Amino acid sequence: MKAVLLGTTAGGGFPQWNCACPLCVRARSGALPSRSQDCLAISGNGTDWWLVNASPDIRTQIVSCSLLDPGPGARDTPLRGALFTDAELDHTLGLLTLRGGAGLTVWAPGTVLHALKDQFDLRTVIDGYAPVEWRQVDQPFEVGGLQVSAIPISGKRPKYARSSTVDGHWVVAYRFFDPVSRGVLVYAPCLASWPDGFDEVVAGADCLLLDGTFYAASEMGSATGSSSGQAAMGHLPITASLPELRRFPGVRRIYTHLNNTNPVLDPSSPESAELRGAGVEVPLDGTVIEL
């Protein structure tokens, strides 16, 4: 199994276009590395690649990753489709960039497929260019030589779907199992809380990619002077998840989906030092993981 962290930040990227917080200012000056929005590419056979989420930065992310280069034919591509963890715009809008692709398949929870058709109508727009096969993740399935299971995480729905009457799990994590290497990778970029049964999921993984959106519960207020919306955004802060991660020292633990206000974006910060001391990583865009 091989996975590439195409993007490692929350919606808006780093630096965020409309933010002049100290971290974004330093990123614009080049003092801190820029990062793009959350997206993973994964394959179990090195030939068929799948995206986990499709960020608005997807074109730049694909061009920056040689493993996803097109060929050998003029219009051949190793990308076979995408798996969506949720229906958030910053996780699905990249599909518009892929509208010229043929034979793509999208896997997602039923709630997400509903939102993208009946609330946002992304499905109709995409299918008008090149029909996409839409599949619901209600049973384990296989992509790129990997066995995949969806793990329900929360019922937090995107803002545009607030009026939806569909109940169920709106956010999932994905567990990827390589039957050849026996490696297990879990991708959970959006975690509202530490759900029941998640201990067993983490304990059975070789590598966990976890929601690191905020370091602390009051972070946005401290960084920008406005805490509006943070509490309702559905992201467990690192101060709450790190004690849980400390219980699994044998698992490779990685934080991703970092908000532009998160102090761990600065490797010289005390918060980053704390993570290093706990053996938890905050890798850059482009990092390759092999299991």
Side-chain angles (χ1 to χ4, degrees):
M1 182 188 332
K2 184 174 289 187
V4 184
L5 291 172
L6 297 179
T8 55
T9 56
F14 181 65
Q16 187 169 298
W17 71 273
N18 63 340
C19 185
C21 73
L23 286 170
C24 285
V25 169
R26 293 181 62 197
R28 287 191 182 89
S29 73
L32 294 175
S34 297
R35 295 170 180 256
S36 60
Q37 297 170 87
D38 167 63
C39 187
L40 183 79
I42 193 164
S43 177
N45 57 22
T47 301
D48 304 298
W49 285 84
W50 290 79
L51 302 174
V52 190
N53 294 333
S55 88
D57 300 322
I58 194 64
R59 179 202 168 274
T60 301
Q61 292 170 336
I62 291 173
V63 170
S64 299
C65 180
S66 61
L67 293 169
L68 304 180
D69 285 350
R75 287 287 186 173
D76 291 342
T77 173
L79 282 178
R80 302 294 177 249
L83 294 73
F84 290 158
T85 61
D86 51 59
E88 297 291 348
L89 296 181
D90 48 298
H91 289 164
T92 58
L93 284 180
L95 201 59
L96 291 171
T97 300
L98 304 181
R99 64 190 181 277
L104 297 179
T105 300
V106 171
W107 291 90
T111 49
V112 173
L113 296 180
H114 154 76
L116 296 180
K117 182 177 187 297
D118 298 331
Q119 301 289 314
F120 185 58
D121 210 18
L122 178 66
R123 292 173 61 177
T124 300
V125 174
I126 293 296
D127 288 342
Y129 288 89
V132 168
E133 185 173 352
W134 304 87
R135 295 187 179 180
Q136 183 172 330
V137 292
D138 47 14
Q139 297 291 334
F141 56 101
E142 183 174 321
V143 298
L146 301 173
Q147 296 173 8
V148 188
S149 300
I151 303 163
I153 294 296
S154 81
K156 193 259 180 183
R157 62 188 68 193
K159 289 182 179 180
Y160 68 82
R162 283 175 175 171
S163 64
S164 172
T165 58
V166 174
D167 294 322
H169 298 291
W170 283 79
V171 183
V172 299
Y174 286 107
R175 179 185 185 272
F176 297 91
F177 171 69
D178 185 336
V180 176
S181 70
R182 313 300 293 179
V184 174
L185 182 146
V186 174
Y187 193 60
C190 297
L191 197 71
S193 63
W194 195 270
D196 293 340
F198 203 59
D199 276 9
E200 289 75 15
V201 173
V202 177
D206 297 292
C207 181
L208 170 68
L209 298 167
L210 190 69
D211 187 346
T213 306
F214 301 112
Y215 179 80
S218 59
E219 178 180 306
M220 287 183 69
S222 300
T224 67
S226 173
S227 58
S228 175
Q230 179 176 335
M233 292 176 72
H235 297 287
L236 188 69
I238 288 175
T239 53
S241 63
L242 184 58
E244 306 288 354
L245 293 186
R246 289 182 185 274
R247 298 187 290 112
F248 302 95
V251 178
R252 184 178 181 186
R253 298 149 299 168
I254 294 172
Y255 278 121
T256 189
H257 201 272
L258 309 169
N259 197 59
N260 61 293
T261 56
N262 195 325
V264 303
L265 289 166
D266 179 0
S268 66
S269 69
E271 293 84 358
S272 289
E274 180 186 22
L275 296 190
R276 288 193 296 271
V280 179
E281 303 171 49
V282 185
L284 295 171
D285 290 9
T287 297
V288 178
I289 299 167
E290 297 187 63
L291 297 174

PDB file of all heavy atoms in Angstrom, residues 151 153 175 186 191 193-205 208 210 236 240-241 243-248 251:
ATOM      1  N   ILE A 151     -16.107   3.758   8.317  1.00  0.00           N
ATOM      2  CA  ILE A 151     -16.352   3.771   9.760  1.00  0.00           C
ATOM      3  C   ILE A 151     -17.172   5.009  10.096  1.00  0.00           C
ATOM      4  O   ILE A 151     -16.676   6.136   9.966  1.00  0.00           O
ATOM      5  CB  ILE A 151     -15.023   3.795  10.533  1.00  0.00           C
ATOM      6  CG1 ILE A 151     -14.156   2.603  10.131  1.00  0.00           C
ATOM      7  CG2 ILE A 151     -15.273   3.812  12.041  1.00  0.00           C
ATOM      8  CD1 ILE A 151     -12.701   2.747  10.523  1.00  0.00           C
ATOM      9  N   ILE A 153     -18.559   8.152  11.798  1.00  0.00           N
ATOM     10  CA  ILE A 153     -17.906   9.029  12.769  1.00  0.00           C
ATOM     11  C   ILE A 153     -18.890   9.985  13.437  1.00  0.00           C
ATOM     12  O   ILE A 153     -18.913  10.132  14.649  1.00  0.00           O
ATOM     13  CB  ILE A 153     -16.771   9.834  12.102  1.00  0.00           C
ATOM     14  CG1 ILE A 153     -15.656   8.885  11.654  1.00  0.00           C
ATOM     15  CG2 ILE A 153     -16.218  10.883  13.054  1.00  0.00           C
ATOM     16  CD1 ILE A 153     -14.960   8.151  12.780  1.00  0.00           C
ATOM     17  N   ARG A 175     -10.997   2.766   6.486  1.00  0.00           N
ATOM     18  CA  ARG A 175      -9.955   1.805   6.858  1.00  0.00           C
ATOM     19  C   ARG A 175      -9.530   1.065   5.599  1.00  0.00           C
ATOM     20  O   ARG A 175     -10.343   0.431   4.926  1.00  0.00           O
ATOM     21  CB  ARG A 175     -10.476   0.815   7.891  1.00  0.00           C
ATOM     22  CG  ARG A 175      -9.459  -0.237   8.331  1.00  0.00           C
ATOM     23  CD  ARG A 175     -10.122  -1.251   9.264  1.00  0.00           C
ATOM     24  NE  ARG A 175      -9.162  -2.210   9.806  1.00  0.00           N
ATOM     25  CZ  ARG A 175      -8.819  -3.363   9.224  1.00  0.00           C
ATOM     26  NH1 ARG A 175      -9.364  -3.689   8.037  1.00  0.00           N
ATOM     27  NH2 ARG A 175      -7.952  -4.187   9.783  1.00  0.00           N
ATOM     28  N   VAL A 186      -5.741   4.003   8.432  1.00  0.00           N
ATOM     29  CA  VAL A 186      -7.035   4.596   8.749  1.00  0.00           C
ATOM     30  C   VAL A 186      -6.955   6.091   8.502  1.00  0.00           C
ATOM     31  O   VAL A 186      -6.028   6.764   8.973  1.00  0.00           O
ATOM     32  CB  VAL A 186      -7.447   4.324  10.208  1.00  0.00           C
ATOM     33  CG1 VAL A 186      -8.722   5.079  10.568  1.00  0.00           C
ATOM     34  CG2 VAL A 186      -7.640   2.823  10.428  1.00  0.00           C
ATOM     35  N   LEU A 191     -13.191  14.465  12.850  1.00  0.00           N
ATOM     36  CA  LEU A 191     -13.578  13.700  14.030  1.00  0.00           C
ATOM     37  C   LEU A 191     -14.177  14.652  15.051  1.00  0.00           C
ATOM     38  O   LEU A 191     -13.472  15.455  15.665  1.00  0.00           O
ATOM     39  CB  LEU A 191     -12.348  13.003  14.619  1.00  0.00           C
ATOM     40  CG  LEU A 191     -12.580  11.855  15.583  1.00  0.00           C
ATOM     41  CD1 LEU A 191     -13.111  10.635  14.846  1.00  0.00           C
ATOM     42  CD2 LEU A 191     -11.288  11.503  16.304  1.00  0.00           C
ATOM     43  N   SER A 193     -15.742  13.814  17.831  1.00  0.00           N
ATOM     44  CA  SER A 193     -15.487  13.299  19.171  1.00  0.00           C
ATOM     45  C   SER A 193     -14.758  11.974  19.013  1.00  0.00           C
ATOM     46  O   SER A 193     -14.561  11.493  17.895  1.00  0.00           O
ATOM     47  CB  SER A 193     -16.805  13.108  19.939  1.00  0.00           C
ATOM     48  OG  SER A 193     -17.605  12.130  19.296  1.00  0.00           O
ATOM     49  N   TRP A 194     -14.348  11.391  20.140  1.00  0.00           N
ATOM     50  CA  TRP A 194     -13.725  10.060  20.088  1.00  0.00           C
ATOM     51  C   TRP A 194     -14.855   9.047  20.228  1.00  0.00           C
ATOM     52  O   TRP A 194     -15.327   8.775  21.331  1.00  0.00           O
ATOM     53  CB  TRP A 194     -12.704   9.919  21.207  1.00  0.00           C
ATOM     54  CG  TRP A 194     -11.768   8.772  21.032  1.00  0.00           C
ATOM     55  CD1 TRP A 194     -11.941   7.494  21.493  1.00  0.00           C
ATOM     56  CD2 TRP A 194     -10.510   8.772  20.350  1.00  0.00           C
ATOM     57  NE1 TRP A 194     -10.874   6.698  21.147  1.00  0.00           N
ATOM     58  CE2 TRP A 194      -9.977   7.469  20.440  1.00  0.00           C
ATOM     59  CE3 TRP A 194      -9.784   9.753  19.672  1.00  0.00           C
ATOM     60  CZ2 TRP A 194      -8.750   7.128  19.882  1.00  0.00           C
ATOM     61  CZ3 TRP A 194      -8.561   9.411  19.114  1.00  0.00           C
ATOM     62  CH2 TRP A 194      -8.053   8.112  19.220  1.00  0.00           C
ATOM     63  N   PRO A 195     -15.334   8.485  19.121  1.00  0.00           N
ATOM     64  CA  PRO A 195     -16.569   7.680  19.189  1.00  0.00           C
ATOM     65  C   PRO A 195     -16.362   6.314  19.825  1.00  0.00           C
ATOM     66  O   PRO A 195     -15.236   5.805  19.912  1.00  0.00           O
ATOM     67  CB  PRO A 195     -16.963   7.552  17.715  1.00  0.00           C
ATOM     68  CG  PRO A 195     -15.677   7.665  16.969  1.00  0.00           C
ATOM     69  CD  PRO A 195     -14.811   8.610  17.758  1.00  0.00           C
ATOM     70  N   ASP A 196     -17.458   5.714  20.244  1.00  0.00           N
ATOM     71  CA  ASP A 196     -17.418   4.356  20.770  1.00  0.00           C
ATOM     72  C   ASP A 196     -16.858   3.417  19.706  1.00  0.00           C
ATOM     73  O   ASP A 196     -17.217   3.500  18.530  1.00  0.00           O
ATOM     74  CB  ASP A 196     -18.826   3.894  21.167  1.00  0.00           C
ATOM     75  CG  ASP A 196     -19.387   4.661  22.351  1.00  0.00           C
ATOM     76  OD1 ASP A 196     -18.580   5.259  23.091  1.00  0.00           O
ATOM     77  OD2 ASP A 196     -20.617   4.653  22.530  1.00  0.00           O
ATOM     78  N   GLY A 197     -15.972   2.533  20.141  1.00  0.00           N
ATOM     79  CA  GLY A 197     -15.383   1.566  19.228  1.00  0.00           C
ATOM     80  C   GLY A 197     -14.166   2.054  18.476  1.00  0.00           C
ATOM     81  O   GLY A 197     -13.514   1.262  17.779  1.00  0.00           O
ATOM     82  N   PHE A 198     -13.823   3.342  18.612  1.00  0.00           N
ATOM     83  CA  PHE A 198     -12.689   3.872  17.854  1.00  0.00           C
ATOM     84  C   PHE A 198     -11.355   3.363  18.401  1.00  0.00           C
ATOM     85  O   PHE A 198     -10.372   3.296  17.667  1.00  0.00           O
ATOM     86  CB  PHE A 198     -12.715   5.395  17.846  1.00  0.00           C
ATOM     87  CG  PHE A 198     -11.963   6.018  16.698  1.00  0.00           C
ATOM     88  CD1 PHE A 198     -12.313   5.726  15.390  1.00  0.00           C
ATOM     89  CD2 PHE A 198     -10.902   6.881  16.917  1.00  0.00           C
ATOM     90  CE1 PHE A 198     -11.621   6.282  14.317  1.00  0.00           C
ATOM     91  CE2 PHE A 198     -10.201   7.449  15.861  1.00  0.00           C
ATOM     92  CZ  PHE A 198     -10.566   7.138  14.557  1.00  0.00           C
ATOM     93  N   ASP A 199     -11.320   3.001  19.671  1.00  0.00           N
ATOM     94  CA  ASP A 199     -10.110   2.406  20.232  1.00  0.00           C
ATOM     95  C   ASP A 199      -9.694   1.171  19.436  1.00  0.00           C
ATOM     96  O   ASP A 199      -8.512   0.984  19.119  1.00  0.00           O
ATOM     97  CB  ASP A 199     -10.330   2.006  21.691  1.00  0.00           C
ATOM     98  CG  ASP A 199     -10.120   3.152  22.662  1.00  0.00           C
ATOM     99  OD1 ASP A 199      -9.968   4.304  22.206  1.00  0.00           O
ATOM    100  OD2 ASP A 199     -10.110   2.903  23.885  1.00  0.00           O
ATOM    101  N   GLU A 200     -10.663   0.317  19.124  1.00  0.00           N
ATOM    102  CA  GLU A 200     -10.359  -0.908  18.389  1.00  0.00           C
ATOM    103  C   GLU A 200      -9.878  -0.592  16.967  1.00  0.00           C
ATOM    104  O   GLU A 200      -8.990  -1.267  16.441  1.00  0.00           O
ATOM    105  CB  GLU A 200     -11.607  -1.794  18.322  1.00  0.00           C
ATOM    106  CG  GLU A 200     -11.993  -2.430  19.651  1.00  0.00           C
ATOM    107  CD  GLU A 200     -12.632  -1.466  20.628  1.00  0.00           C
ATOM    108  OE1 GLU A 200     -13.045  -0.351  20.197  1.00  0.00           O
ATOM    109  OE2 GLU A 200     -12.734  -1.794  21.829  1.00  0.00           O
ATOM    110  N   VAL A 201     -10.448   0.447  16.359  1.00  0.00           N
ATOM    111  CA  VAL A 201     -10.024   0.857  15.017  1.00  0.00           C
ATOM    112  C   VAL A 201      -8.564   1.302  15.031  1.00  0.00           C
ATOM    113  O   VAL A 201      -7.757   0.894  14.187  1.00  0.00           O
ATOM    114  CB  VAL A 201     -10.925   1.992  14.493  1.00  0.00           C
ATOM    115  CG1 VAL A 201     -10.388   2.546  13.173  1.00  0.00           C
ATOM    116  CG2 VAL A 201     -12.356   1.499  14.315  1.00  0.00           C
ATOM    117  N   VAL A 202      -8.210   2.135  16.003  1.00  0.00           N
ATOM    118  CA  VAL A 202      -6.838   2.635  16.095  1.00  0.00           C
ATOM    119  C   VAL A 202      -5.867   1.517  16.434  1.00  0.00           C
ATOM    120  O   VAL A 202      -4.789   1.399  15.834  1.00  0.00           O
ATOM    121  CB  VAL A 202      -6.752   3.766  17.139  1.00  0.00           C
ATOM    122  CG1 VAL A 202      -5.310   4.243  17.287  1.00  0.00           C
ATOM    123  CG2 VAL A 202      -7.654   4.931  16.755  1.00  0.00           C
ATOM    124  N   ALA A 203      -6.238   0.682  17.386  1.00  0.00           N
ATOM    125  CA  ALA A 203      -5.346  -0.400  17.810  1.00  0.00           C
ATOM    126  C   ALA A 203      -5.032  -1.363  16.678  1.00  0.00           C
ATOM    127  O   ALA A 203      -3.949  -1.965  16.645  1.00  0.00           O
ATOM    128  CB  ALA A 203      -5.963  -1.145  18.987  1.00  0.00           C
ATOM    129  N   GLY A 204      -5.960  -1.511  15.739  1.00  0.00           N
ATOM    130  CA  GLY A 204      -5.754  -2.431  14.628  1.00  0.00           C
ATOM    131  C   GLY A 204      -5.081  -1.817  13.423  1.00  0.00           C
ATOM    132  O   GLY A 204      -4.958  -2.476  12.381  1.00  0.00           O
ATOM    133  N   ALA A 205      -4.629  -0.564  13.539  1.00  0.00           N
ATOM    134  CA  ALA A 205      -4.014   0.140  12.405  1.00  0.00           C
ATOM    135  C   ALA A 205      -2.498   0.165  12.532  1.00  0.00           C
ATOM    136  O   ALA A 205      -1.940   0.143  13.643  1.00  0.00           O
ATOM    137  CB  ALA A 205      -4.545   1.564  12.322  1.00  0.00           C
ATOM    138  N   LEU A 208      -2.372   5.831  11.402  1.00  0.00           N
ATOM    139  CA  LEU A 208      -3.610   6.582  11.593  1.00  0.00           C
ATOM    140  C   LEU A 208      -3.394   8.028  11.176  1.00  0.00           C
ATOM    141  O   LEU A 208      -2.491   8.700  11.680  1.00  0.00           O
ATOM    142  CB  LEU A 208      -4.034   6.534  13.067  1.00  0.00           C
ATOM    143  CG  LEU A 208      -5.175   7.472  13.483  1.00  0.00           C
ATOM    144  CD1 LEU A 208      -6.488   7.047  12.837  1.00  0.00           C
ATOM    145  CD2 LEU A 208      -5.303   7.525  14.996  1.00  0.00           C
ATOM    146  N   LEU A 210      -5.258  11.445  11.404  1.00  0.00           N
ATOM    147  CA  LEU A 210      -6.347  11.917  12.255  1.00  0.00           C
ATOM    148  C   LEU A 210      -6.568  13.414  12.138  1.00  0.00           C
ATOM    149  O   LEU A 210      -5.642  14.191  11.866  1.00  0.00           O
ATOM    150  CB  LEU A 210      -6.036  11.560  13.709  1.00  0.00           C
ATOM    151  CG  LEU A 210      -7.177  11.765  14.710  1.00  0.00           C
ATOM    152  CD1 LEU A 210      -8.299  10.775  14.478  1.00  0.00           C
ATOM    153  CD2 LEU A 210      -6.658  11.652  16.146  1.00  0.00           C
ATOM    154  N   LEU A 236     -12.664  17.645  16.855  1.00  0.00           N
ATOM    155  CA  LEU A 236     -12.094  17.425  18.174  1.00  0.00           C
ATOM    156  C   LEU A 236     -10.710  18.064  18.225  1.00  0.00           C
ATOM    157  O   LEU A 236      -9.855  17.754  17.395  1.00  0.00           O
ATOM    158  CB  LEU A 236     -11.982  15.925  18.433  1.00  0.00           C
ATOM    159  CG  LEU A 236     -11.574  15.469  19.835  1.00  0.00           C
ATOM    160  CD1 LEU A 236     -12.687  15.767  20.830  1.00  0.00           C
ATOM    161  CD2 LEU A 236     -11.247  13.973  19.815  1.00  0.00           C
ATOM    162  N   ALA A 240      -7.690  17.425  23.145  1.00  0.00           N
ATOM    163  CA  ALA A 240      -8.566  16.334  23.566  1.00  0.00           C
ATOM    164  C   ALA A 240      -8.185  14.999  22.934  1.00  0.00           C
ATOM    165  O   ALA A 240      -8.374  13.941  23.545  1.00  0.00           O
ATOM    166  CB  ALA A 240     -10.020  16.664  23.227  1.00  0.00           C
ATOM    167  N   SER A 241      -7.664  15.018  21.708  1.00  0.00           N
ATOM    168  CA  SER A 241      -7.345  13.746  21.031  1.00  0.00           C
ATOM    169  C   SER A 241      -5.942  13.233  21.348  1.00  0.00           C
ATOM    170  O   SER A 241      -5.706  12.018  21.310  1.00  0.00           O
ATOM    171  CB  SER A 241      -7.492  13.896  19.515  1.00  0.00           C
ATOM    172  OG  SER A 241      -6.591  14.845  18.986  1.00  0.00           O
ATOM    173  N   PRO A 243      -4.272  12.969  24.234  1.00  0.00           N
ATOM    174  CA  PRO A 243      -4.242  11.978  25.318  1.00  0.00           C
ATOM    175  C   PRO A 243      -4.715  10.600  24.862  1.00  0.00           C
ATOM    176  O   PRO A 243      -4.218   9.575  25.353  1.00  0.00           O
ATOM    177  CB  PRO A 243      -5.192  12.585  26.364  1.00  0.00           C
ATOM    178  CG  PRO A 243      -5.153  14.051  26.112  1.00  0.00           C
ATOM    179  CD  PRO A 243      -5.035  14.177  24.621  1.00  0.00           C
ATOM    180  N   GLU A 244      -5.667  10.565  23.940  1.00  0.00           N
ATOM    181  CA  GLU A 244      -6.117   9.280  23.402  1.00  0.00           C
ATOM    182  C   GLU A 244      -5.020   8.634  22.571  1.00  0.00           C
ATOM    183  O   GLU A 244      -4.757   7.430  22.685  1.00  0.00           O
ATOM    184  CB  GLU A 244      -7.376   9.473  22.552  1.00  0.00           C
ATOM    185  CG  GLU A 244      -8.524  10.201  23.233  1.00  0.00           C
ATOM    186  CD  GLU A 244      -9.207   9.364  24.294  1.00  0.00           C
ATOM    187  OE1 GLU A 244      -8.873   8.160  24.434  1.00  0.00           O
ATOM    188  OE2 GLU A 244     -10.086   9.902  24.987  1.00  0.00           O
ATOM    189  N   LEU A 245      -4.347   9.429  21.740  1.00  0.00           N
ATOM    190  CA  LEU A 245      -3.297   8.882  20.879  1.00  0.00           C
ATOM    191  C   LEU A 245      -2.110   8.354  21.682  1.00  0.00           C
ATOM    192  O   LEU A 245      -1.438   7.399  21.259  1.00  0.00           O
ATOM    193  CB  LEU A 245      -2.812   9.949  19.896  1.00  0.00           C
ATOM    194  CG  LEU A 245      -3.791  10.415  18.823  1.00  0.00           C
ATOM    195  CD1 LEU A 245      -3.098  11.351  17.848  1.00  0.00           C
ATOM    196  CD2 LEU A 245      -4.398   9.236  18.076  1.00  0.00           C
ATOM    197  N   ARG A 246      -1.844   8.957  22.812  1.00  0.00           N
ATOM    198  CA  ARG A 246      -0.712   8.501  23.646  1.00  0.00           C
ATOM    199  C   ARG A 246      -0.882   7.044  24.082  1.00  0.00           C
ATOM    200  O   ARG A 246       0.094   6.375  24.429  1.00  0.00           O
ATOM    201  CB  ARG A 246      -0.585   9.399  24.875  1.00  0.00           C
ATOM    202  CG  ARG A 246      -0.090  10.814  24.593  1.00  0.00           C
ATOM    203  CD  ARG A 246       0.053  11.595  25.893  1.00  0.00           C
ATOM    204  NE  ARG A 246       0.401  12.986  25.689  1.00  0.00           N
ATOM    205  CZ  ARG A 246       1.645  13.445  25.545  1.00  0.00           C
ATOM    206  NH1 ARG A 246       2.659  12.587  25.580  1.00  0.00           N
ATOM    207  NH2 ARG A 246       1.871  14.736  25.376  1.00  0.00           N
ATOM    208  N   ARG A 247      -2.101   6.557  24.043  1.00  0.00           N
ATOM    209  CA  ARG A 247      -2.368   5.179  24.471  1.00  0.00           C
ATOM    210  C   ARG A 247      -2.008   4.151  23.394  1.00  0.00           C
ATOM    211  O   ARG A 247      -2.117   2.952  23.634  1.00  0.00           O
ATOM    212  CB  ARG A 247      -3.841   5.028  24.869  1.00  0.00           C
ATOM    213  CG  ARG A 247      -4.252   5.912  26.040  1.00  0.00           C
ATOM    214  CD  ARG A 247      -5.668   5.626  26.518  1.00  0.00           C
ATOM    215  NE  ARG A 247      -6.697   6.047  25.573  1.00  0.00           N
ATOM    216  CZ  ARG A 247      -7.483   5.223  24.897  1.00  0.00           C
ATOM    217  NH1 ARG A 247      -7.346   3.912  25.020  1.00  0.00           N
ATOM    218  NH2 ARG A 247      -8.407   5.697  24.070  1.00  0.00           N
ATOM    219  N   PHE A 248      -1.583   4.633  22.215  1.00  0.00           N
ATOM    220  CA  PHE A 248      -1.294   3.731  21.103  1.00  0.00           C
ATOM    221  C   PHE A 248       0.100   4.011  20.533  1.00  0.00           C
ATOM    222  O   PHE A 248       0.240   4.382  19.362  1.00  0.00           O
ATOM    223  CB  PHE A 248      -2.359   3.887  20.013  1.00  0.00           C
ATOM    224  CG  PHE A 248      -3.757   3.631  20.495  1.00  0.00           C
ATOM    225  CD1 PHE A 248      -4.566   4.695  20.898  1.00  0.00           C
ATOM    226  CD2 PHE A 248      -4.260   2.347  20.560  1.00  0.00           C
ATOM    227  CE1 PHE A 248      -5.857   4.469  21.350  1.00  0.00           C
ATOM    228  CE2 PHE A 248      -5.544   2.102  21.012  1.00  0.00           C
ATOM    229  CZ  PHE A 248      -6.345   3.164  21.416  1.00  0.00           C
ATOM    230  N   VAL A 251       1.360   2.568  17.035  1.00  0.00           N
ATOM    231  CA  VAL A 251       0.738   2.978  15.775  1.00  0.00           C
ATOM    232  C   VAL A 251       1.415   4.257  15.279  1.00  0.00           C
ATOM    233  O   VAL A 251       1.697   5.155  16.076  1.00  0.00           O
ATOM    234  CB  VAL A 251      -0.775   3.232  15.976  1.00  0.00           C
ATOM    235  CG1 VAL A 251      -1.422   3.713  14.685  1.00  0.00           C
ATOM    236  CG2 VAL A 251      -1.463   1.974  16.493  1.00  0.00           C
TER     237      VAL A 251
END
